[in-house]
Amino acid sequence: MENRHMRYFLAVADLGSLTKAAEYLDVSQPALTQVINKLERGLGVQLLVRSRAGAELTPAGLAIVDDMRESLARADAAALRAKAVAAGLAGRLTIGFVTLATHTVLPRALRAFREKKPGVEIVLREMGNLSQAQALAHGIIDVALLHTPVSLTGRMREKIVSREPMVAVVPAGLAIGRDGSVSLAEVARAGLIWFPERNLPFLRMRILAAMRRAGEEGRVVQEVERSTTALACVAAGLGVCLLPASVRQFLHQGVRVLDISDGEDLPRFEIRMAWAPQLRPSLATEFAMLLDAV
């Protein structure tokens, strides 16, 4: 059954007249009559009773009029959605992100993207580095916000969207110097709370190397998958965690955030955005372009 046939039938049903319906549809009455006859032949039932007074629905016509109205509304909605998706005004964008991206990068990007593409459905998935790399390679997510450096499979586009110095998150009761900072040697002696080696191997290696140069052999006393878990472990007194400076915005009972007095040898904490290149501009590309490299 063609949409045009349903539209013509509904016009007659609503206006109660072939003549009025033909005028409303801007078609000739013989053409409208031909469509109604074709529709009735196709269904094998009479839908309208014609008379000089107009046209009335038969019981069969009454039985299907609401179904036709719903089917036509769905078809119209599907057509509008298809056009919106093609124009980049609708669709779905799945974003993977590490917890620390929620402090600065993610809110800024979401705000800008929502203003530009209010009709796009956004799916958010908090994931670790390794999980994001795998999900991006398999097309499970469209955009990844992860810690760098990271090894990605396949041909991907990347750019750094955040680069911050590291600070020490320490238990509230930890004794500190008069200047309110902590040294790498003190962090090493307290024990490091850090992410699994499979997630951030290069950052882990460089941090431990910096501690050795500071005169202490650093060790990871507790591995965590999320920075929120790291804060809880620090509050419990299990050790000290090194995180980006933006963690100051994320208050947690039982911890203090301190500068590292000799932290110039530490790597910067970076967040990189990665997405698969497309032949034509995609939602992922538009999202990525909203954030300039820092």
Side-chain angles (χ1 to χ4, degrees):
M1 188 183 304
E2 296 181 16
N3 289 347
R4 181 172 63 93
H5 293 173
M6 291 190 289
R7 204 177 303 277
Y8 282 17
F9 171 73
L10 290 174
V12 177
D14 291 340
L15 296 173
S17 165
L18 285 165
T19 302
K20 292 179 180 179
E23 292 176 355
Y24 171 76
L25 295 168
D26 195 23
V27 297
S28 67
Q29 187 169 334
L32 176 58
T33 300
Q34 186 178 7
V35 167
I36 298 299
N37 291 339
K38 184 178 181 179
L39 182 59
E40 289 178 324
R41 287 196 302 271
L43 294 173
V45 295
Q46 185 178 358
L47 301 175
L48 297 167
V49 175
R50 290 85 156 175
S51 68
R52 290 184 178 180
E56 293 185 3
L57 293 172
T58 65
L62 284 170
I64 67 169
V65 67
D66 288 338
D67 291 336
M68 279 195 179
R69 209 179 299 280
E70 184 177 349
S71 295
L72 190 59
R74 287 181 177 177
D76 288 344
L80 289 173
R81 181 167 178 80
K83 291 177 181 178
V85 170
L89 301 175
R92 174 183 292 182
L93 180 69
T94 303
I95 304 168
F97 61 94
V98 291
T99 306
L100 291 171
T102 63
H103 297 165
T104 52
V105 176
L106 187 60
R108 188 167 78 248
L110 288 178
R111 189 183 308 112
F113 190 78
R114 177 60 71 212
E115 290 175 356
K116 188 174 182 181
K117 302 285 184 180
V120 173
E121 177 187 0
I122 298 174
V123 179
L124 299 173
R125 294 189 176 181
E126 184 177 354
M127 309 167 74
N129 250 38
L130 185 60
S131 298
Q132 282 196 74
Q134 294 172 345
L136 190 62
H138 290 89
I140 298 172
I141 60 176
D142 303 306
V143 175
L145 291 170
L146 29 68
H147 299 303
T148 189
V150 62
S151 177
L152 297 174
T153 303
R155 184 166 161 263
M156 298 292 171
R157 296 187 62 184
E158 303 176 48
K159 72 173 182 177
I160 295 173
V161 293
S162 176
R163 183 185 290 120
E164 301 180 70
M166 287 188 178
V167 294
V169 183
V170 307
L174 183 72
I176 58 174
R178 292 182 179 178
D179 62 353
S181 65
V182 65
S183 68
L184 279 174
E186 289 173 314
V187 172
R189 287 194 292 271
L192 185 64
I193 296 170
W194 194 245
F195 307 100
E197 188 170 7
R198 65 181 182 276
N199 284 0
L200 295 171
F202 300 106
L203 276 181
R204 182 177 179 135
M205 178 181 65
R206 292 185 62 184
I207 289 171
L208 295 178
M211 289 179 177
R212 280 194 295 272
R213 287 190 290 272
E216 291 286 342
E217 191 64 34
R219 71 193 192 285
V220 177
V221 295
Q222 179 65 56
E223 290 190 342
V224 294
E225 292 286 349
R226 299 284 187 270
S227 58
T228 48
T229 308
L231 294 175
C233 291
V234 172
L238 301 186
V240 173
C241 187
L242 302 183
L243 292 174
S246 59
V247 75
R248 297 182 191 276
Q249 304 174 38
F250 190 81
L251 300 179
H252 194 289
Q253 187 175 3
V255 307
R256 299 165 68 181
V257 180
L258 306 176
D259 291 329
I260 303 169
S261 57
D262 54 349
E264 63 278 352
D265 197 26
L266 287 172
R268 293 279 174 151
F269 221 115
E270 296 178 344
I271 293 179
R272 183 179 297 269
M273 182 180 293
W275 69 102
Q278 303 289 336
L279 294 178
R280 290 184 293 179
S282 65
L283 292 175
T285 300
E286 292 194 47
F287 182 82
M289 291 300 104
L290 290 174
L291 290 177
D292 295 326
V294 178

